Structures are given as C-alpha cells and as structure tokens.
Amino acid sequence: MSNLVIVGAQWGDEGKGKVVDILTQKADLVVRFQGGNNAGHTLVVDGQKYALHLVPSGILHPGKIGVVAGGVVIDPEVLLEEIDTLTARGLKVTPEVLLISEKAHVIMPYHRALDQAREGLKGEGRIGTTGRGIGPAYEDKASRIGLRMCDLRDLDSFREKAEAAMAEKMHLLTHFYKADTPNIDQIMAAAAVWQERLVPYLTDTRMFVQKALDEDRRILFEGAQGIQLDIDHGSYPFVTSSNPVAGSVTTGVGLAPQKIQGVLALVKAYSTRVGSGPFPTELSDATGDFMRKQGAEFGTTTGRPRRCGWLDAVVVKTAVDLCGVDHLAVTKLDVLSGLGELKIATHYMLDGEKIDFIPAEVKDAERCQPVYETWPGFFSDISKARKLEDLPDTARRYLDRMSELCGAPLGLVSVGPDREQTIMLHEYF
Ligand code: IMP
C-alpha cells in the first residue's frame, strides 16, 4: 500500500492528529483535502505541543511534504500565523515542503463576519459553527463568486472580484444582521501581504500529487471533521460545509477513485460532538462528565466543552460502509478506565420499530432511542499497553465487540496521547 486515507468515523475530534503523526513517519507526503481551519489538531512532538488548523502535521517531520489541496478553504491570516509559529519554533516551512493549491478558495473577512452574525442571530436553532467563515466561503465557491488563492497573483482583479462578492454581503451585514462590516481598503492591505508571503507556496497540487502517485511515493490523505458532519451524509443541517467522507479525496485533491489504496477510520472509544444536532447516545450525567474530564473533551479550535456519550456502532458502521474502511484506529481507550460498565449502541428504536440507521429528518433522529449492549469495564492504567495481550480481558472484549459490530478489523489502538502509547496491529506503508 502506498497511500492511505484517514477519516473520522464519528463527529470529528477522534484524535486524527496523533495517528497522522505516527503514520507520517513512514509517509512522504501528507495531504489535506477538505474543510479549513474549523479543524484542529493538538500534537505533542519531542515534548513540544503544537496546535495546527490548516498546515498538515507532516510538516513537523523533517523531509516530509505537506500539501493543502484545492478542496480546502484557506484563511490566509490563519495560514500565515501557523507558518510563523512553526518557523519561530525552528521548523523549516518553505515552499519546498509546504505546497498550497492555487485553486483553493480563500476565506475572506466578510465570510467570518457573516458566519458569526448568523450564529449570533439564530439563537436556539444555531448550528454551533466554529465561526471561522467556513460555510460562507464554500457558499461563494458554489455561487461562483469565490476568490481563489491564484487570484492573489493579480491584486487589481482580486479587488474587483472581492468588491463584487462583498456587495450583497455588506447589505446583509449592515441592514439585516446590524453587524460590523469589513472594509475593502483594509482587505486589500491584508491581501498585499498575502500576495507577498503566500504566492510563493502556490502550485497545481493536483499535478504534484499525481506525479507522486505515479512514482509510488507514500501519501497520507488527512481528512478533517467526521462522517456525521458530512454535508451530504451527516445530520443536515447540523453539519459542516464539506465532505469528510473518504471519496472526497477524489474531488478535493483531484485523483481517480481507483488510486485510493486504503482507508483507515478513526474511532474514539466513546462518542463526542461539538455544536448542535442529534446525538443519540449523549450522556447528560456523571458518566458524560467523567468522559469529558478524563478525555479533556474541549474543542481545539473553539475551546467549547464537547458533548459526550457511549460508543454508537450505528454511527461507526455507517462510516465503514460509506468510506470502504479497511481498519479502525481506536483512540482514547484509556479514558474509559474507571467505568464499571461500558455500553455500545447496536441499533435504535423509533416509533416501536428497530432501525440501524440515522433517519434523514433531524426531528426523527432526535427521537431515536439507542439500544445498548453492556460490557464489563476495566479499572487499571492501560497507558503502558503496547500489545493487545497487555490489556485487561474486559478491554479486549470491548474492542473485539466494537470491531464486530462496526464491521471492520482493528488497525491500531491508542492508549494515551504520546506516540509511544499505541498498540499497532497493522503495518501501514
Ligand atoms: P463549521 O464547520 O464551522 O461550519 O461548523 C459546522 C459544524 O461542524 C459545527 O457543529 C461544528 O462544531 C462542527 N465542526 C466543524 N469542524 C469540526 C472539527 O474539526 N471537529 C468537530 N466538529 C467540527
């Protein structure tokens, strides 16, 4: 196998950062293909903590190349901030190791303003977005009024396009949302900096990745968010604006489906969700609080407390089917240590009927009653386990049952935040 797609099987925040970091050691390229700086990875490398939102984590390893492909939406301010932070910490972030798609769309200040104004107004019905302008940027892309990174090469035409895209939004922001509006002169002053500093990184990333595929170089495609946040397959409208499913690599990067050689789905040993929307196995009790505390379940991007609940096999099996998952990478198993019993939802009951899918309509999804299997828990510290045999029998039984119910074998199990705190069960690359 010379390439692998990594996806989140639940609602995001499954711990992709650490797994990508481990697998990057053997990869040549790490490629982001959708989403934007709504995603966030916290990584601990050589005792140093890094929080990355846009730059692929591969960049933390000397000799690896990070690619931000065309399906990603880029906030230039955030990108520059990350480049600066990494550079200040001694990393080499040059155009040789960080390649940005010239076709990626730009998140403009008016996208952020609109995202935040809408969320402010929606009250109870709010989606709970990250407020980073992701949705409005993808909207403009679909409306054919978006600005792309390649537009930075010609600032006169950039200004013209920005003014055209802004006109309607300024009206909305001023008169409908009564919010502050960004100013075109300020935007253009910022754009001059973006041009000077970011244009050197721009390239046709599709061709670059294609060449790497032809040369059989090892490529890790790093998905953001999780399958339940997919705009087509998640709990619409409580979703993000891109497609976190594995197939999205084909459009986000620009490659043929047959080129995908493997899919690894990240599964947290329990469930979490940030933002609003249906969450059948949510626990609003002491067990949920335990998971939040033990698992430090607070958003990397927004700091919001995450909603916590039992593992939902309906959700994970959906991801396995949708993405053609070869293996599950189970994360944060150690967080469950201390719980006397562990539950896994096997299906739901809705209006007296047994169902094994999440209904399309939110009002139905919210009424689904999870039906659980209960398994004995474990109490010991498992963070030193490096092979399955090191785990208590009850933890192994929980993992086996998870794999059986979700329909995919285990590829690795993470028992702590450090790279070493991992049970590798499959050789990738
Ligand atoms: P947006 O992507 O900022 O528009 O937010 C839409 C929904 O997706 C909200 O519920 C967010 O909390 C959620 N979301 C977006 N990115 C992430 C992520 O990386 N992890 C978890 N949830 C996310």
Side-chain angles (χ1 to χ4, degrees):
M1 178 191 298
S2 66
N3 71 67
L4 180 70
V5 184
I6 294 195
V7 294
Q10 295 150 310
W11 286 272
D13 308 317
E14 293 90 357
K16 289 185 269 312
K18 168 180 156 170
V19 175
V20 169
D21 182 56
I22 290 175
L23 298 177
T24 297
Q25 296 176 59
K26 291 205 184 152
D28 300 309
L29 263 70
V30 183
V31 184
R32 275 280 309 264
F33 56 92
Q34 45 75 225
N37 56 304
N38 43 355
H41 294 331
T42 310
L43 292 154
V44 182
V45 180
D46 297 332
Q48 289 217 55
K49 202 168 169 184
Y50 296 89
L52 295 176
H53 299 281
L54 267 175
V55 173
S57 42
I59 215 88
L60 300 177
H61 300 262
K64 314 287 172 180
I65 294 178
V67 177
V68 182
V72 175
V73 285
I74 298 177
D75 186 328
E77 295 294 336
V78 174
L79 182 57
L80 284 173
E81 207 178 289
E82 285 187 10
I83 292 175
D84 289 344
T85 310
L86 293 170
T87 309
R89 291 170 87 166
L91 288 150
K92 181 173 158 250
V93 194
T94 60
E96 286 71 45
V97 297
L98 178 63
L99 281 72
I100 313 278
S101 170
E102 56 191 2
K103 293 184 180 167
H105 279 248
V106 182
I107 301 177
M108 298 288 283
Y110 46 82
H111 292 139
R112 274 196 309 267
L114 206 53
D115 196 2
Q116 288 162 13
R118 281 180 188 157
E119 285 293 302
L121 205 71
K122 274 188 183 157
E124 277 296 289
R126 66 204 288 274
I127 290 166
T129 73
T130 57
R132 302 295 193 263
I134 311 292
Y138 278 116
E139 279 168 38
D140 277 5
K141 175 177 180 174
S143 300
R144 275 72 42 89
I145 54 167
L147 282 136
R148 297 184 299 167
M149 291 302 283
C150 57
D151 289 315
L152 282 172
R153 292 193 179 116
D154 175 352
L155 289 185
D156 289 337
S157 116
F158 188 94
R159 185 183 183 110
E160 258 172 51
K161 290 178 184 169
E163 277 177 331
M166 272 174 87
E168 196 186 34
K169 292 177 191 69
M170 297 297 267
H171 190 78
L172 266 178
L173 283 167
T174 314
H175 300 292
F176 188 74
Y177 293 111
K178 315 257 183 271
D180 292 340
T181 51
N183 164 298
I184 186 67
D185 292 324
Q186 283 167 357
I187 291 178
M188 290 314 298
V193 178
W194 304 341
Q195 180 190 55
E196 188 195 327
R197 296 201 49 205
L198 293 177
V199 166
Y201 292 88
L202 303 186
T203 190
D204 186 326
T205 52
R206 184 197 73 76
M207 284 181 10
F208 184 86
V209 173
Q210 183 61 48
K211 187 159 176 286
L213 285 167
D214 293 343
E215 290 168 356
D216 242 7
R217 294 178 79 188
R218 289 158 300 189
I219 310 177
L220 205 58
F221 294 106
E222 177 184 353
Q225 290 90 39
I227 272 48
Q228 284 302 321
L229 293 175
D230 188 283
I231 190 162
D232 289 297
H233 303 287
S235 47
Y236 192 89
F238 299 104
V239 291
T240 191
S241 336
S242 65
N243 291 103
V245 292
S248 170
V249 165
T250 64
T251 51
V253 178
L255 56 88
Q258 300 93 321
K259 295 284 177 192
I260 301 174
Q261 294 184 350
V263 180
L264 178 68
L266 273 281
V267 181
K268 200 181 280 191
Y270 47 100
S271 304
T272 62
R273 175 167 201 166
V274 268
S276 323
F279 183 0
T281 62
E282 182 168 14
L283 292 167
S284 310
D285 60 8
T287 308
D289 292 342
F290 175 92
M291 291 169 175
R292 191 172 307 104
K293 187 158 175 276
Q294 295 298 113
E297 296 294 356
F298 296 88
T300 319
T301 303
T302 58
R304 288 180 289 179
R306 296 180 183 141
R307 300 157 66 193
C308 298
W310 294 119
L311 180 74
D312 189 335
V314 176
V315 162
V316 181
K317 175 75 169 68
T318 305
V320 167
D321 291 345
L322 263 171
C323 300
V325 169
D326 297 297
H327 292 120
L328 306 178
V330 179
T331 60
K332 293 190 143 184
L333 184 65
D334 53 304
V335 169
L336 297 180
S337 171
L339 292 174
E341 47 184 39
L342 304 174
K343 297 189 183 205
I344 308 178
T346 54
H347 58 277
Y348 311 133
M349 293 303 291
L350 181 65
D351 296 329
E353 286 204 24
K354 178 180 169 182
I355 58 167
D356 59 2
F357 59 90
I358 300 187
E361 287 184 60
V362 167
K363 63 176 178 15
D364 292 334
E366 275 171 343
R367 291 190 304 117
C368 284
Q369 291 300 317
V371 178
Y372 292 110
E373 273 184 9
T374 303
W375 292 83
F378 53 96
F379 293 90
S380 56
D381 172 8
I382 61 165
S383 64
K384 293 192 179 60
R386 298 296 175 264
K387 39 190 200 316
L388 285 180
E389 297 77 57
D390 297 338
L391 293 172
D393 283 350
T394 48
R396 289 182 65 178
R397 253 182 283 157
Y398 180 68
L399 287 172
D400 286 345
R401 189 60 181 145
M402 179 191 305
S403 164
E404 201 172 15
L405 287 169
C406 301
L410 302 175
L412 68 89
V413 180
S414 169
V415 291
D418 293 335
R419 265 187 205 163
E420 302 71 46
Q421 293 172 313
T422 309
I423 301 172
M424 285 305 289
L425 299 166
H426 186 82
E427 191 69 27
Y428 296 94
F429 298 121

